[in-house]
Amino acid sequence: MSERIFVNPGEIYFGQGDERIETLLGSCVAITFWHPVQRLGGMCHFLLPNRVHGKVPVYTGDGRYGDEALQYMIEEVAVRRTRLQDYQVKVFGGGRIFANERSGSTIGESNARFALSALNEIDLPVAGQDVAGEGYRYLRFDLTTGDVWVRRGRGLPASSASPRKREPVKPAGGL
């Protein structure tokens, strides 16, 4: 039986062997890296594209920010003495989870645009993606096969002045 590792927002995990990496995404984005020959890889789960203090970007290795999380993933590839171009990279998340969010103006969509753009800038092709749109995503990434399963759920209703009964959120489809 494979070991289950859950990656919370702002966390990064890189491993090898019979492991499943899982996470839950709303507006956050996860990037997965998988080496098909060595069967190793990882996942970062970031909340915002970057952190800027004044006009100078600050690098602190914080997984909450996409630029820093991606840099950490690239460093993990180097530590393992593998080539970045040998990895399959996939991008997930960046959903609108509240009904009153407008398309094109959400943090989630900014996160997804950042991830795809940053990977393009370093000439790393994206082998698969499931980004933006409505609702949340539950991911399961198998380091043995490189497969990523996505279970999608609905977003939350817009808030209103009068309280109303909310329906429970049910997953859309199985793993």
Side-chain angles (χ1 to χ4, degrees), residues 115-135:
L116 296 170
S117 174
L119 292 166
N120 184 54
E121 284 179 26
I122 59 173
D123 293 320
L124 198 54
V126 175
Q129 66 181 28
D130 183 6
V131 296
E134 300 286 329

Side-chain angles (χ1 to χ4, degrees), residues 51-84:
R51 169 202 346 228
V52 177
H53 291 281
K55 294 184 181 187
V56 179
V58 176
Y59 176 71
T60 62
D62 192 332
R64 294 177 296 174
Y65 304 99
D67 56 351
E68 296 180 38
L70 184 55
Q71 182 61 41
Y72 181 88
M73 296 290 282
I74 292 168
E75 289 171 8
E76 282 294 316
V77 167
V79 164
R80 293 164 194 293
R81 299 179 187 207
T82 54
R83 292 177 351 114
L84 191 57

Side-chain angles (χ1 to χ4, degrees), residues 112-149:
R113 276 193 306 273
F114 164 80
L116 296 170
S117 174
L119 292 166
N120 184 54
E121 284 179 26
I122 59 173
D123 293 320
L124 198 54
V126 175
Q129 66 181 28
D130 183 6
V131 296
E134 300 286 329
Y136 69 88
R137 291 167 176 89
Y138 180 83
L139 302 183
R140 180 179 292 162
F141 174 30
D142 186 334
L143 287 183
T144 304
T145 64
D147 292 334
V148 180
W149 293 274

